[in-house]
Amino acid sequence: MRHFGHISPTVRKDLFHQEPAEFTGASPARTLAAALGATLYSPATRPQLARDIRKQAGRGVVSMVLCLEDSISDGDVAGAEENLVRQFAELDTDDTELPLLFIRVRTPEQIPDLVRRLGAAAHLLSGFVLPKFDESSGNAFLDAVAQAEAAGGHSRLYAMPVLETPGLLHLETRVETLAGISRTVNSHRERVLALRLGVTDFCSAYGLRRTPDMTAYDVQIVAGVIADVVNVLSRADGTGFTVTGPVWEYFRSQQRLFKPQLRRSPFLEEGVEELRTALIEHDLDGLLREIELDRANGLLGKTCIHPAHVTPVHALSVVSHEEYCDAEDILRPERGGGGVMRSAYTNKMNEVKPHRAWAERTMQRAEVFGVAKEEVGFVDLLTAGLQV
């Protein structure tokens, strides 16, 4: 699979200076973690789940989570498990290219049980999402994933812990909770693909809910937790993990309290002002702002609960031609000793040693999301993705 693989090769050629690379579930974990993109969640109770998965794959989704936890009621768990077994068997009947598929469980015991019940179709599974993750629960969850992998003969089942417990949120317990999570995920480093943030649970602990005019970073208590998670768990010194962006909850138009955040200037070309209007009407201008803030704060990828969010996430994940030129200049072998230079776009300073980690991360993103041509912006990428 590849990002923007659902659009025609001709259109991709027009959009990309460097096209997104292909990858599979067997690609290195570093590649898969960067390539998760917009991870679309779906309740495991959906009666046409196999059809839905195929449909979303055709629209550019490359990772999905089938949820047995908060998205369904307690009384529906057994039926949802049975539904997953049926739907995976259906998915295993043809050669359709599928997204990376993960199951969000409630307990460690579900993990080996589900792999056993999935039978031959378990090879379609990339791993599990582990809720309410901390040191006390984490080892049992991660051991269960290893047990399921061994029993099912998988080459690799990955884990994506969700960081959402009150201990992480509350100031008096945050440092020790983060230290415990760090100890746990580091002891299972080869198993942990990415860490996900449960911002809805963070808000719930204080009876908060952000409006569609506000990003997670406008809610200061949430912004503080995100900063601390990145500080401890996503350092660029080789010890860090990929941390993905929080969910954007909105997909319907509501009355606005604030003016739209989307600037008009990127949309002034003929035929795309309508796209700006459509994004605003569907409350996606706030999403676009939050995606930019995710990356500025060290997050990559995003949890999504609606298909309309996928293309904006992917369009804003593509590396711009300017970013690529900067990263390429910084990483030139002859500049290994450091130094400072004017950027190729002559609008900024590139300092080799301080900017090296940024450049390396940018090149990693360029590999999986591609590099836009010099004249191509996110509006062009949005338009191409949404027209499929």
Side-chain angles (χ1 to χ4, degrees):
M1 71 191 83
R2 70 197 303 176
H3 283 290
F4 295 92
H6 65 302
I7 65 177
S8 73
T10 301
V11 174
R12 282 204 308 272
K13 186 176 180 181
D14 290 339
L15 291 173
F16 289 97
H17 169 77
Q18 173 185 304
E19 291 194 25
E22 294 185 347
F23 59 93
T24 71
S27 296
R30 181 176 180 271
T31 298
L32 294 180
L36 288 168
T39 300
L40 184 63
Y41 275 55
S42 177
T45 51
R46 290 182 67 86
Q48 301 296 326
L49 187 58
R51 184 189 66 182
D52 295 341
I53 291 170
R54 292 189 181 106
K55 180 179 178 180
Q56 297 309 324
R59 292 180 172 180
V61 173
V62 303
S63 63
M64 289 186 70
V65 173
L66 315 175
C67 186
L68 293 167
E69 208 227 359
D70 285 349
S71 69
I72 66 174
S73 71
D74 297 345
D76 288 338
V77 174
E81 291 179 345
E82 293 172 2
N83 187 53
L84 280 180
V85 173
R86 289 193 300 269
Q87 302 296 334
F88 267 75
E90 182 178 336
L91 287 170
D92 202 26
T93 58
D94 59 42
D95 295 326
T96 302
E97 187 174 79
L98 301 175
L100 303 172
L101 298 177
F102 301 85
I103 298 175
R104 182 175 179 174
V105 293
R106 294 184 173 215
T107 67
E109 293 74 24
Q110 283 178 297
I111 293 171
D113 180 61
L114 281 168
V115 169
R116 178 186 60 78
R117 292 163 66 183
L118 289 173
H123 75 94
L124 302 175
L125 188 62
S126 293
F128 292 88
V129 174
L130 313 178
K132 313 295 189 291
F133 189 93
D134 59 19
E135 188 173 28
S136 63
S137 66
N139 285 307
F141 270 121
L142 291 165
D143 287 345
V145 177
Q147 177 188 341
E149 178 187 294
H154 283 269
S155 56
R156 175 61 69 201
L157 282 174
Y158 289 106
M160 292 199 289
V162 185
L163 311 185
E164 56 188 344
T165 59
L168 180 59
L169 180 63
H170 297 158
L171 187 60
E172 68 272 20
T173 53
R174 187 178 306 169
V175 170
E176 179 52 35
T177 300
L178 273 171
I181 292 170
S182 179
R183 287 190 291 268
T184 306
V185 294
N186 274 297
S187 67
H188 297 267
R189 175 168 287 274
E190 78 291 346
R191 179 83 49 203
V192 177
L193 185 62
L195 305 175
R196 313 198 73 89
L197 291 167
V199 165
T200 301
D201 280 48
F202 291 162
C203 290
S204 173
Y206 288 89
L208 305 176
R209 186 174 191 179
R210 69 188 190 273
T211 70
D213 300 295
M214 296 182 178
T215 71
Y217 302 92
D218 294 313
V219 183
Q220 291 300 298
I221 196 165
V222 170
V225 180
I226 293 174
D228 288 343
V229 168
V230 172
N231 189 325
V232 175
L233 296 169
S234 192
R235 297 173 185 174
D237 59 1
T239 67
F241 294 84
T242 294
V243 179
T244 64
V247 67
W248 182 257
E249 298 179 352
Y250 293 96
F251 49 89
R252 293 184 184 273
S253 181
Q254 297 185 17
Q255 183 179 0
R256 287 181 168 273
L257 296 177
F258 305 107
K259 67 180 181 180
Q261 300 173 56
L262 273 182
R263 293 182 297 111
R264 293 177 61 88
S265 54
F267 296 87
L268 290 180
E269 294 182 14
E270 184 179 355
V272 294
E273 174 67 17
E274 293 84 357
L275 175 59
R276 176 182 182 272
T277 301
L279 291 170
I280 291 170
E281 287 177 349
H282 290 85
D283 290 318
L284 295 186
D285 55 325
L287 169 64
L288 299 183
R289 174 67 176 155
E290 187 167 282
I291 296 165
E292 293 280 19
L293 289 170
D294 284 343
R295 188 155 68 250
N297 285 277
L299 310 185
L300 181 61
K302 200 162 188 67
T303 295
C304 294
I305 46 81
H306 195 277
H309 300 167
V310 172
T311 300
V313 172
H314 290 169
L316 283 175
S317 298
V318 174
V319 173
S320 71
H321 188 263
E322 181 175 346
E323 289 177 305
Y324 179 75
C325 289
D326 288 339
E328 190 175 46
D329 282 349
I330 290 165
L331 295 175
R332 290 187 189 281
E334 65 269 24
R335 296 198 171 113
V340 64
M341 74 206 84
R342 184 174 62 176
S343 71
Y345 276 67
T346 68
N347 61 357
K348 71 178 76 66
M349 172 192 75
N350 286 329
E351 195 168 353
V352 173
K353 288 184 178 179
H355 290 145
R356 176 170 291 275
W358 169 86
E360 290 170 346
R361 285 189 171 185
T362 298
M363 286 304 198
Q364 183 183 18
R365 183 160 54 92
E367 178 186 352
V368 292
F369 286 102
V371 178
K373 285 188 173 179
E374 185 172 1
E375 70 278 7
V376 171
F378 81 93
V379 173
D380 305 291
L381 295 160
L382 272 171
T383 304
L386 291 172
Q387 286 179 345
V388 176

